Amino acid sequence: MDSFEINKLIGGLLGTVFVVFSVGIISDALFASPAPEKPGFAIEATEEPAEGGPAAPAAEAKPIAELLANANVEAGAAVFKKCQACHTGEKGGPNKVGPDLWDLIDRPVAEHAGFAYSAGMKEFSKGGAEKWTYDNLNHFLLSPKKLVKGTAMGFAGLPKDEDRANVIAYLRTLSDSPKPLPTPGASAAAPAEGAAPAKPAEGEAPAAPAAPAAPAQ
């Protein structure tokens, strides 16, 4: 092999090395991942419970009487705008995807004229015996599908207590005769007849027995 052929081999080898080296530099420049100047927000994913495992506890609605004590009607009107895609709130207003919500408080469930209710809502209504009380609205707006199984309402709910209280306070005003607000901290009902008397607190003397009744004359 003469020197000319050796030079050709060496030149080809050097050319190959140069091309590979150049490709590596260009790739690094195109696909570089520099560190951000400001760190972003970490996204925490909620893991779904394994099949058969315990489910996460569902959020519970706070007592509506306490929430309504500090509710804001004007803020509720702003929240109600989310509902207007499916509902009207005018007296004699038309039904849309959902029924008209005029005079909703204490209205029998699934009884608004001219609207075709889902089977789940009809079952929940118990033939109109169930009403849209403040408490029912509070739980329904928290999670519609949790309160009414099989409802066709696709709204996910209002998880914030303040939003639910405000929009319920606003719905109350959509009436010629707004219903009375529930009383916060109402006393518990008396025990049913035949229920065992309450035990005295630790350290207290037991209540004296009642005196026997005088014999009839």
Side-chain angles (χ1 to χ4, degrees):
M1 180 181 295
D2 56 18
S3 59
F4 179 73
E5 299 225 355
I6 293 174
N7 290 337
K8 282 172 58 179
L9 291 174
I10 293 174
L13 180 61
L14 291 174
T16 303
V17 171
F18 176 77
V19 171
V20 172
F21 185 71
S22 299
V23 170
I25 293 175
I26 294 172
S27 298
D28 290 341
L30 290 176
F31 303 105
S33 301
E37 294 181 2
K38 294 182 180 180
F41 295 99
I43 300 175
E44 297 182 4
T46 303
E47 294 185 2
E48 296 290 338
E51 188 175 352
E60 293 294 334
K62 289 185 178 180
I64 188 58
E66 298 176 14
L67 297 176
L68 286 174
N70 299 311
N72 185 304
V73 173
E74 292 182 0
V79 177
F80 185 72
K81 291 180 180 178
K82 298 180 180 180
C83 310
Q84 289 179 318
C86 300
H87 298 276
T88 56
E90 300 86 16
K91 185 176 182 179
N95 295 322
K96 298 169 72 175
V97 177
D100 178 41
L101 300 183
W102 173 263
D103 205 21
L104 177 67
I105 307 298
D106 280 347
R107 187 169 83 189
V109 175
E111 291 291 316
H112 187 61
F115 186 78
Y117 289 91
S118 65
M121 190 65 75
K122 289 179 180 178
E123 182 179 355
F124 177 77
S125 76
K126 300 172 186 173
E130 196 73 46
K131 295 184 178 181
W132 283 122
T133 62
Y134 289 110
D135 191 56
N136 274 341
L137 280 172
N138 186 31
H139 286 84
F140 185 69
L141 290 175
L142 175 64
S143 179
K145 293 186 182 299
K146 181 181 177 183
L147 181 68
V148 181
K149 307 297 182 184
T151 177
M153 184 167 173
F155 185 59
L158 296 172
K160 292 183 179 179
D161 296 331
E162 182 180 2
D163 286 347
R164 293 197 311 280
N166 291 341
V167 78
I168 291 172
Y170 174 73
L171 288 170
R172 175 179 176 267
T173 67
L174 303 182
S175 172
D176 290 329
S177 301
K179 304 303 185 291
L181 289 170
T183 304
S187 58
E193 185 178 354
K199 294 182 179 179
E202 187 175 354
E204 285 187 4
Q217 294 295 328

